[in-house]
Every structure is written in structure tokens, then in C-alpha cells.
Amino acid sequence: MARDEVPEARGTTDAFRADVIDGLARRPRAIPARWFYDRRGSELFEAITELPEYYPTRTETALLKRIAGDLAAQVGAGRAVVEFGSGSSTKTPILLDAIRPSAYVPIDISGDFMRASVRDLAARFPRLPIIPVEADFTAPVTLPVEIRDLPKLGFFPGSTIGNMGAFSSTDILRAMRASLGEGAMLLIGMDRIKQVETLECAYDDAAGVTAAFNLNLLERINRELGGTIPVDAFRHRAVWNPEAARIEMHLDATRDVDFVVDDMPFAIKAGEGIHTENSHKYGSADARTLLRAGGWTPIAEWTDPDDLFAIFLAKA
Ligand code: AVI
């Protein structure tokens, strides 16, 4: 059976088409960032995490290593670690080494990618029960029966929360609380507000990897939705929006363009753009307010020496 004949893939394509057509028709034009992550987009994101300008991944990884002992003392042994949007699970071994959990449950909407990274983890932690769940964690998830009676530690690194708006980020924290139940804890990474130059360079690197990541969205539309977008007519732009405390990514047309997506005609004038991503950054007070709004009480906060990135531990 071809990939586009699989019912689930068809559902994904329908949702992608609806978001793209709706997003190109509205003003300002905006397409949700979750559509970045096809296979090519996921590869480009992995490459972003290794860029010299993209400080979040290496800073959070180093911070996790530094706080491992403290974290173990606060969390205790024997919890089931539930990782939301586990993806390639690169930070997971640091946490699993630190807290010695009873089980590990990665949850990701992209099952293939998750199962491949789980294989590596299983080799590294042969005695740890690993139970992957393929699900959309933006709504409450039914966890495997095997961990029903264990206390849970939710793990949501990478400041992925920052890619959501205020309502969605609160909703997702509430969904996590509902999924994890009473007595749960949450370990979450949240990127800090910092110098504009540092932020804008992190999202507009010299090698052009983030530009390629952003433009891949248009290539994906052409590949999967029969689009005729002239990708070379668009330029990547990353800009700090101080009122909203977020980095925004846009694709701006450098000349007037006409194209179709799924037989729907669109025209974009030179200088107009498509808003493709928000990456919110948080001061300590904002982060705590968000956690509380999402049903979590912060109990510890750690940052790196340069205060670039924070990790919070919260309890339900
Ligand atoms: C996945 N997410 C946390 C990244 C971020 O920093 O907002 C996505 C990203 N976009 C451009 N570079 C990285």
C-alpha cells in the first residue's frame, strides 16, 4: 500500500491542506509551525540543534547534566518517565541516568521516528521497560496500563512549549496534568528572554540551515499538496517581537507571485509574507505564571550561568 493510501496519512494530508489553504487565505497569512516536521524538516531541525548560533539545545543539555544530582534528590527513584514529543530523545539518557526510573514512556505523533530512537535507548538501558505511545499529546493521552500505579514524571524539554500561543500552551500543560494524574511531577525546559541579537542569530544562522528549514515548508506544500509555489521568490526572516516576547519566523515574497495549492489560486505581492512560527521566550515570573495557569506548581528552577535557558520542576 502506498504511503498516501494509508488512512492515517490521508488524515494528516487533509489536515495539512486545510491549514495551508486557510492560512494563505487569511490576513496576515500564517501556517502553523507543526507542518515544518516532515522527514526533511525533522532532519533540518536536527541540524539546527547543532549550529553554533542555536544555543538552546546545548545549553539545556549541559544544564540537565549539571543538575542531575539535585534533580534525583527532588524527584526520587522509581517514577515512570513520560516524555512528551520525544522525537529523537537525545536528552533522555541524561535524565534516565540521573533518576533511575521504573519505566520510560515516550509519546510522539511520529511513530516511525520515535521507534527508531527508542531502539537506541533500549540498547543503552536494557533493563528499563520502554513503552512507546504513538499519540497527539496536545489532548490527554491514555497511558499504558503497565505504569498505571507508578508515580509519573512528565518530561517536556527543548522549550517546545514556546512554539504554542498563550491558550494552547496552557491547554497543553493541563492536558499533561490530566494524562499524568495525581502526584505527578513535570520537568520542562523554557527558553529565556535575552539580547535581541543572540535571539535573532539563533533563528537566522550564517549557514542558512534555519532558512532552509523555513523554506522547506513551501517545498512540502509543493510536494504534498500539488503546489506551484516559486520557492526561490521567498526569503526567510526571523524577527524579535518585544510586545509578544517571541521570535517570529516569516517567509517574505521578494517579487509578486501567483501560484496554486490544490487547484486554489493565490497571489502574494512583493514584500508581503507568510508567518510560519512563533518561539516564545520567558522571564522567570512569566514561566511560573504559565505553569500555574496550566495546573502545575513550580518547585525548582535552574538556569545556566549566562541565564540563557531554564529548566523547571513542577508538581501537580
Ligand atoms: C522546536 N522548537 C522548540 C524550536 C524553537 O527554537 O522554537 C523550533 C525552531 N525553529 C527554528 N529554529 C528552531
Side-chain angles (χ1 to χ4, degrees), residues 47-121:
I48 286 173
T49 63
E50 286 165 20
L51 290 169
E53 295 95 333
Y54 193 75
Y55 60 85
T57 309
R58 63 170 180 277
T59 309
E60 186 183 36
T61 304
L63 183 55
L64 254 184
K65 287 183 184 159
R66 204 194 78 206
I67 68 172
D70 202 1
L71 189 58
Q74 304 230 24
V75 167
R79 285 184 182 259
V81 170
V82 178
E83 182 166 358
F84 296 99
S86 56
S88 61
S89 296
T90 44
K91 292 158 197 151
T92 317
I94 307 168
L95 177 65
L96 300 183
D97 269 333
I99 68 160
R100 310 244 157 244
S102 307
Y104 172 59
V105 177
I107 305 179
D108 204 292
I109 198 150
S110 167
D112 290 347
F113 197 45
M114 173 175 62
R115 277 185 286 274
S117 29
V118 156
R119 273 195 288 279
D120 297 342
L121 266 186

Side-chain angles (χ1 to χ4, degrees), residues 43 57 64 74 77 87 102 108 125 138 155 162 172 176 184 222 235-236 248 255 257 262 268 283 292 297:
E43 285 166 4
T57 309
L64 254 184
Q74 304 230 24
S102 307
D108 204 292
F125 299 92
T138 58
F155 186 40
I172 205 168
M176 287 174 181
N222 287 349
R235 200 188 46 216
H236 164 70
E248 296 179 0
R255 54 181 157 88
V257 287
D262 198 29
I268 302 185
R292 285 185 199 281
T297 305

Side-chain angles (χ1 to χ4, degrees), residues 37 45 48 54 158-160 163 202-203 210 213 249 277 279 281:
Y37 300 94
F45 178 65
I48 286 173
Y54 193 75
S159 202
T160 306
N163 295 130
Y203 291 82
T210 311
F213 173 72
M249 295 211 312
E277 187 182 58
S279 191
K281 312 299 170 187

Side-chain angles (χ1 to χ4, degrees), residues 35-276:
W35 298 113
F36 280 139
Y37 300 94
D38 64 348
R39 180 179 289 270
R40 178 79 186 125
S42 299
E43 285 166 4
L44 285 165
F45 178 65
E46 289 300 312
I48 286 173
T49 63
E50 286 165 20
L51 290 169
E53 295 95 333
Y54 193 75
Y55 60 85
T57 309
R58 63 170 180 277
T59 309
E60 186 183 36
T61 304
L63 183 55
L64 254 184
K65 287 183 184 159
R66 204 194 78 206
I67 68 172
D70 202 1
L71 189 58
Q74 304 230 24
V75 167
R79 285 184 182 259
V81 170
V82 178
E83 182 166 358
F84 296 99
S86 56
S88 61
S89 296
T90 44
K91 292 158 197 151
T92 317
I94 307 168
L95 177 65
L96 300 183
D97 269 333
I99 68 160
R100 310 244 157 244
S102 307
Y104 172 59
V105 177
I107 305 179
D108 204 292
I109 198 150
S110 167
D112 290 347
F113 197 45
M114 173 175 62
R115 277 185 286 274
S117 29
V118 156
R119 273 195 288 279
D120 297 342
L121 266 186
R124 188 157 168 188
F125 299 92
R127 281 195 295 276
L128 178 70
I130 301 181
I131 314 154
V133 174
E134 188 170 345
D136 175 5
F137 63 84
T138 58
V141 176
T142 306
L143 296 176
V145 284
E146 293 93 318
I147 66 162
R148 192 181 46 207
D149 298 326
L150 295 173
K152 320 284 188 304
L153 173 69
F155 186 40
F156 195 38
S159 202
T160 306
I161 188 96
N163 295 130
M164 294 154 200
F167 291 123
S168 318
S169 51
T170 310
D171 287 351
I172 205 168
L173 289 168
R174 287 175 183 271
M176 287 174 181
R177 197 187 180 292
S179 303
L180 297 173
E182 285 306 311
M185 287 179 151
L186 178 68
L187 189 67
I188 180 168
M190 294 169 97
D191 198 9
R192 287 287 216 229
I193 297 171
K194 58 187 65 63
Q195 276 200 330
V196 174
E197 203 197 336
T198 309
L199 284 165
E200 290 185 344
C201 287
Y203 291 82
D204 193 6
D205 58 286
V209 182
T210 311
F213 173 72
N214 200 4
L215 288 161
N216 178 60
L217 179 63
L218 303 183
E219 278 152 12
R220 182 178 184 189
I221 293 170
N222 287 349
R223 273 196 300 271
E224 295 182 25
L225 303 178
T228 60
I229 305 174
V231 178
D232 66 335
F234 287 85
R235 200 188 46 216
H236 164 70
R237 178 166 60 93
V239 64
W240 172 247
N241 176 335
E243 280 81 40
R246 68 189 189 206
I247 279 280
E248 296 179 0
M249 295 211 312
H250 297 260
L251 289 165
D252 294 338
T254 56
R255 54 181 157 88
D256 294 357
V257 287
D258 294 294
F259 57 87
V260 297
V261 175
D262 198 29
D263 296 331
M264 290 271 296
F266 294 97
I268 302 185
K269 293 248 168 280
E272 291 179 2
I274 308 168
H275 187 165
T276 51

